């Protein structure tokens, strides 16, 4: 008998696991908990965190008023013990992967709207009481802040719980329209139910919100992997409570229907404004359209490379293949250490000495795997009919074959439990859980992503890799590089895995993050996305011409949200009333985010 309650299923709630993954989820959770030394929760050390400048009395009045504007009794105070939980049972009260004290970045309450009109009411309520609200779709932005509000004491607006419908699947247009609480798992199941030959695109893990991930400009791995690029049409509640539709959705459909071209054409007429609602705090997206990919034949593969310094050659071979779109999706280049990590075995299985896992230990560990002493692995997938896949693969083999000792493998060449089989699923739009396993590297593991953009050119990629590698060495962390190839650029994702129970590790993770952001910026590199606590520092690196971009964002923010109620500080955008009050984590403050005003 398992000591755990069954993991919530999709049938029991929007955020649950599909039936097909029950057994796998149970096993993954048990592995994760077998390494956990932290208790499930500890008693709260601090009183309920109120919004800034709000007394208990005003807060009580405000909460009573908030309950009245909602159909359901749908407000919960955040006064119970905080539970980090597990991936499929994650909190909406704080960041499950806290990089500072668990209790520092918490909300005062969570509210659950049931429709856009209730979201409008909540926004009006926030303006009336001057209480900051922090919308989440599902709160699985893990590694980037999870469900935590940047301003503690904010009221989290959990859109997903009651707004989780796939509103439409359009067979002919190959598109869909979703609400914030639709996960990749759920969209996949819903598309399967239609029996239509359509694919969704999923990131490495399937629990996240399709809408939320896209407005954070997340990435998946089919040819539709750029999620924001493949969205079409948004409905948005503005910070003044007004409801807006973008793109062709701004034209009223006949007799009150949705406009039939809403999910066909992105830009419509006039300025293309969808982008300003991604990675911002300018509006709450309540509906979003996405293109689905017509199902096709496909072939996944992996190529291994023996030497560390094959890196340059690999990158320069990838570039023309990617730019010519012979590589049709978002392939990944990973370091050999990830081959060890993704087995799910803890770090201690591979290395018990002091400091970082040594190259020697990686070499030894690789003997347990089928590929010998490798340094890099390229995970690719080709699409189309068999004839085009064959001709693409022939080209790809010739190109990578120029690197001595490189080896090409199909899924049929590797053992049934090898990670390549998981890539086969992800790269054909089947959401999985497998990627969770490499979090077992450490006990009580949490992770934090450092995500710079590098041109797909060997010199640049080497520069970024060297910065990351050296600073990981300085701060005592193993380096986990995953390069997600978009084409002319690659998202270099360095995953810092740390033990949540160890304050020293957390402090070093913060130091490492801070120094990587700053060292990368000195060379002209910047991040595509970051954890909430580093958003100010990253936003500040986009400083060209005396911070023209920041000023532009502030102008929009102040015009749309004069009371500064919507997610203040998200992506480094602070409303006027918060600016220069000590909130921005820049300059001296960036040196120790624990000293921040929180
Ligand atoms: C990954 C990729 C991302 C990201 C976080 C994680 C992949 C990890 C391309 O974007 O933001 C294996």
């Amino acid at each position: 008998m398992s000591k755990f309650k069954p993991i919530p299923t999709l049938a029991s709630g929007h955020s649950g696991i599909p039936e097909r993954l029950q057994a796998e989820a149970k096993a993954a959770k048990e592995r994760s908990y077998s390494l956990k030394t932290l208790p499930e929760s500890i008693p709260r050390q601090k009183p309920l965190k109120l919004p800034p400048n709000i007394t208990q009395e005003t807060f009580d009045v405000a909460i009573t008023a908030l309950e009245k504007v909602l159909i359901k009794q749908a407000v919960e105070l955040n006064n119970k013990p905080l539970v980090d939980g597990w991936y499929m049972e994650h909190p909406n009260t704080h960041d499950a992967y806290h990089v500072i004290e668990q209790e520092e970045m918490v909300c005062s309450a969570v509210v659950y709207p049931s429709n856009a009109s209730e979201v409008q009411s909540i926004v009006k309520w926030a303006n009336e009481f001057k209480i900051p609200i922090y919308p989440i779709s599902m709160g699985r932005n893990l590694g980037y802040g999870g469900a935590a509000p940047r301003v503690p004491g904010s009221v989290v607006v959990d859109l997903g719980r009651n707004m989780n419908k796939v509103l439409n699947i359009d067979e002919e247009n190959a598109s869909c329209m979703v609400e914030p609480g639709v996960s990749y798992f759920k969209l996949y199941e819903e598309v399967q139910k239609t029996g239509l030959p359509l694919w969704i695109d999923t990131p490495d893990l399937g629990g996240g919100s399709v809408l939320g991930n896209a407005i954070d400009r997340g990435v998946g791995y089919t040819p539709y992997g750029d999620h924001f690029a493949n969205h079409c049409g948004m409905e948005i509640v503005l910070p003044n409570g007004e409801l807006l539709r973008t793109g062709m959705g701004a034209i009223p459909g006949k007799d009150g229907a949705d406009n039939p071209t809403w999910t066909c054409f992105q830009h419509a007429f006039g300025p293309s404004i969808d982008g300003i609602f991604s990675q911002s705090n300018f509006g709450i997206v309540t509906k979003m359209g996405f293109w689905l990919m017509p199902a096709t034949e496909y072939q996944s593969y992996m190529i291994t490379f023996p030497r560390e310094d094959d890196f340059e050659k690999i990158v320069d071979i990838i570039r023309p293949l990617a730019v010519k779109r012979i590589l049709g999706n978002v392939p990944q280049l990973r370091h050999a250490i990830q081959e060890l990590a993704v087995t799910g075995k803890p770090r201690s299985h591979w290395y018990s000495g002091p400091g970082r896992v040594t190259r020697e230990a990686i070499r030894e560990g690789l003997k347990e795997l089928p590929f010998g002493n490798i340094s890099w692995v390229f995970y690719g997938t080709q699409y189309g009919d068999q004839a085009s896949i064959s001709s693409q693969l022939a080209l790809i083999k010739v190109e990578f074959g120029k690197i001595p000792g490189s080896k090409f493998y199909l899924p049929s060449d590797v053992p049934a439990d090898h990670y390549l089989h998981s890539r086969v699923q992800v790269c054909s739009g089947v959401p999985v859980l497998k990627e969770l396993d490499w979090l077992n590297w450490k006990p009580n593991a949490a992770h934090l992503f450092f995500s710079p953009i590098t041109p797909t050119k060997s010199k640049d990629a080497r520069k970024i890799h060297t910065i990351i590698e050296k600073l990981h060495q300085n701060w005592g962390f193993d380096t986990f590089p995953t390069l997600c190839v978009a084409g002319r650029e690659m998202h270099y994702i360095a995953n810092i895995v740390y033990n949540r129970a160890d304050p020293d590790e957390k402090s070093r993770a913060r130091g490492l993050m801070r120094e990587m952001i700053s060292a990368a910026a000195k060379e002209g590199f910047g991040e595509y996305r970051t954890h909430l606590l580093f958003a100010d520092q990253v936003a500040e690196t986009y400083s060209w011409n005396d911070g023209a971009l920041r000023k532009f964002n502030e102008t929009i923010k102040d015009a749309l949200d004069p009371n500064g109620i919507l997610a203040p500080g998200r992506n480094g955008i602070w409303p006027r009333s918060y600016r220069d009050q000590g909130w921005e984590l820049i300059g001296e403050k960036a040196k120790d985010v624990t000293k921040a005003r929180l």
Side-chain angles (χ1 to χ4, degrees):
M1 267 287 284
S2 164
K3 63 179 171 146
F4 300 117
K5 291 188 304 234
I7 294 161
T9 59
L10 260 185
S12 68
H14 71 292
S15 159
I17 194 87
E19 281 301 332
R20 68 183 168 92
L21 290 175
Q22 263 297 326
E24 193 179 323
K26 183 165 166 279
K29 182 175 178 182
E30 280 170 4
R31 273 197 298 279
S32 153
Y33 271 71
S34 71
L35 292 163
K36 189 168 165 173
T37 62
L38 281 172
E40 200 54 4
S41 68
I42 50 166
R44 291 284 283 263
Q45 311 293 301
K46 297 180 178 173
L48 183 126
K49 184 78 192 174
L50 293 170
N53 310 319
I54 298 288
T55 62
Q56 183 71 50
E57 216 175 6
T58 311
F59 185 70
D60 293 343
V61 172
I63 291 294
T64 306
L66 181 58
E67 281 169 339
K68 285 206 185 108
V69 303
L70 300 166
I71 309 165
K72 296 185 188 170
Q73 276 276 317
V75 186
E76 268 171 18
L77 291 183
N78 183 15
N79 55 9
K80 295 170 270 304
L82 298 172
V83 181
D84 291 344
W86 179 68
Y87 180 72
M88 289 310 302
E89 295 148 289
H90 71 297
N92 58 11
T93 47
H94 68 289
D95 185 3
Y97 295 160
H98 31 92
V99 293
I100 53 177
E101 289 282 310
Q102 186 196 39
E103 251 187 296
E104 291 290 354
M105 274 211 332
V106 294
C107 62
S108 55
V110 186
V111 56
Y112 300 93
S114 293
N115 51 44
S117 148
E118 287 200 348
V119 177
Q120 291 176 281
S121 304
I122 292 167
V123 164
K124 287 174 191 154
W125 167 88
N127 277 295
E128 183 187 338
F129 288 96
K130 312 278 187 294
I131 290 181
I133 53 176
Y134 190 82
I136 58 171
S137 294
M138 297 179 75
R140 275 206 189 85
N141 195 22
L142 298 167
Y144 291 120
R150 173 62 181 83
V151 170
S154 297
V155 171
V156 160
V157 183
D158 185 332
L159 299 157
R161 190 202 270 186
N162 298 326
M163 297 171 68
N164 51 52
K165 286 187 287 301
V166 178
L167 297 167
N168 185 36
I169 295 176
D170 181 334
E171 174 177 5
E172 293 149 307
N173 195 49
S175 64
C176 65
M177 176 75 67
V178 299
E179 291 187 317
V182 175
S183 68
Y184 294 98
F185 286 139
K186 175 155 176 170
L187 182 59
Y188 175 79
E189 297 299 320
E190 294 297 311
V191 171
Q192 296 314 299
K193 277 185 206 161
T194 66
L196 296 170
L198 294 172
W199 282 6
I200 70 161
D201 185 279
T202 176
D204 299 84
L205 285 166
S209 158
V210 174
L211 184 158
N213 181 284
I215 58 173
D216 262 318
R217 298 202 296 267
V219 174
Y221 300 99
T222 74
Y224 285 30
D226 180 341
H227 291 161
F228 197 73
N230 287 287
H231 97 277
C232 194
M234 287 176 160
E235 182 183 272
I236 299 152
V237 174
L238 295 175
N240 64 0
E242 203 162 14
L243 194 61
L244 172 79
R245 284 187 177 181
T246 66
M248 302 304 284
I251 301 179
K254 204 176 167 194
D255 300 327
D258 291 346
N259 190 284
T261 45
W262 197 13
T263 51
C264 305
F265 183 56
Q266 287 176 329
H267 308 302
F269 181 75
S272 176
I273 61 169
D274 287 38
I276 70 164
F277 297 102
S278 70
Q279 293 200 0
S280 77
N281 46 17
F282 299 158
I284 303 178
V285 185
T286 50
K287 275 181 197 165
M288 199 160 163
F290 289 94
W291 290 330
L292 299 169
M293 182 170 145
T296 173
E297 291 177 70
Y298 60 98
Q299 179 65 59
S300 295
Y301 57 92
M302 60 188 279
I303 306 174
T304 61
F305 304 93
R307 287 166 298 271
E308 293 290 337
D309 58 11
D310 286 334
F311 183 68
E312 275 81 354
K313 289 186 206 128
I314 300 169
V315 170
D316 285 331
I317 288 172
I318 287 174
R319 186 184 55 256
L321 292 173
V323 173
K324 290 178 198 165
R325 302 208 172 150
I326 292 164
L327 301 174
N329 70 337
V330 180
Q332 284 188 349
L333 177 65
R334 298 178 166 214
H335 189 264
I337 190 173
Q338 268 112 304
E339 289 294 307
L340 306 186
V342 84
T343 63
K345 293 183 181 142
R347 181 184 199 273
S348 55
H349 174 87
W350 311 103
Y351 183 67
S352 50
R356 308 196 323 146
V357 172
T358 58
R359 191 64 185 82
E360 186 50 36
I362 297 174
R363 198 174 357 262
E364 278 305 303
L366 287 168
K367 290 183 179 161
E368 293 181 29
L369 301 175
F371 311 113
N373 183 29
I374 56 171
S375 291
W376 297 97
V377 190
F378 180 81
Y379 284 99
T381 303
Q382 302 307 126
Y383 303 84
D385 57 27
Q386 282 306 329
S388 40
I389 290 174
S390 296
S391 66
Q392 293 161 24
L393 282 181
L395 250 167
I396 287 162
K397 283 185 192 169
V398 166
E399 288 308 310
F400 286 111
K402 291 174 183 165
I403 300 177
S406 67
K407 291 200 180 116
F408 180 96
Y409 299 88
L410 292 174
S412 52
D413 301 327
V414 305
D417 63 352
H418 189 266
Y419 176 65
L420 177 55
H421 300 289
S422 173
R423 284 324 292 168
V424 169
Q425 293 192 286
V426 170
C427 295
S428 58
V430 183
V432 300
L433 267 183
K434 172 77 182 167
E435 201 83 22
L436 276 180
D437 273 352
W438 64 316
L439 263 190
N440 295 342
W441 197 245
K442 292 199 173 160
N444 312 299
H447 66 91
L448 183 58
F449 293 125
F450 175 62
S451 316
I453 298 293
T454 165
T456 313
K457 294 180 182 171
S458 55
K459 263 201 188 136
D460 294 307
R462 172 58 79 183
K463 225 184 251 174
I464 270 290
H465 180 57
T466 304
I467 288 170
I468 290 171
E469 181 67 17
K470 181 166 172 291
L471 289 172
H472 274 65
Q473 265 173 32
N474 292 355
W475 291 93
F477 284 97
D478 301 318
T479 319
F480 295 112
T482 300
L483 291 98
C484 303
V485 181
R488 291 167 176 81
E489 59 83 17
M490 302 183 289
H491 290 37
Y492 187 131
I493 310 293
N495 197 355
I496 309 167
V497 182
Y498 59 95
N499 178 351
R500 247 176 299 197
D502 183 339
D504 173 61
E505 270 197 37
K506 287 167 81 166
S507 158
R508 285 187 290 115
R510 297 191 298 264
L512 169 57
M513 192 72 176
R514 176 182 72 237
E515 288 194 359
M516 287 193 295
I517 295 167
S518 127
K522 281 205 184 91
E523 297 293 331
F525 297 103
E527 284 66 67
Y528 98 97
R529 183 178 178 190
T530 198
H531 187 282
L532 274 183
L533 276 174
F534 299 92
D536 292 326
Q537 202 197 338
V538 167
E540 202 191 19
T541 65
Y542 286 76
S543 63
W544 186 79
N545 192 18
D546 197 21
L549 180 63
R550 177 182 50 79
K551 289 184 231 169
F552 181 79
N553 286 335
E554 288 172 355
T555 303
I556 298 178
K557 180 64 177 166
D558 293 340
L560 294 177
D561 185 10
N563 291 321
I565 50 101
L566 186 55
R570 201 179 206 280
N571 286 90
I573 304 166
W574 291 96
R576 182 181 284 126
S577 55
Y578 284 77
R579 293 201 285 273
D580 305 320
Q581 306 284 314
W583 290 95
E584 298 94 333
L585 289 168
I586 50 177
E588 279 303 301
K589 278 235 179 96
K591 293 197 177 136
D592 185 356
V593 295
T594 62
K595 300 263 161 47
R597 177 172 173 188
L598 284 168

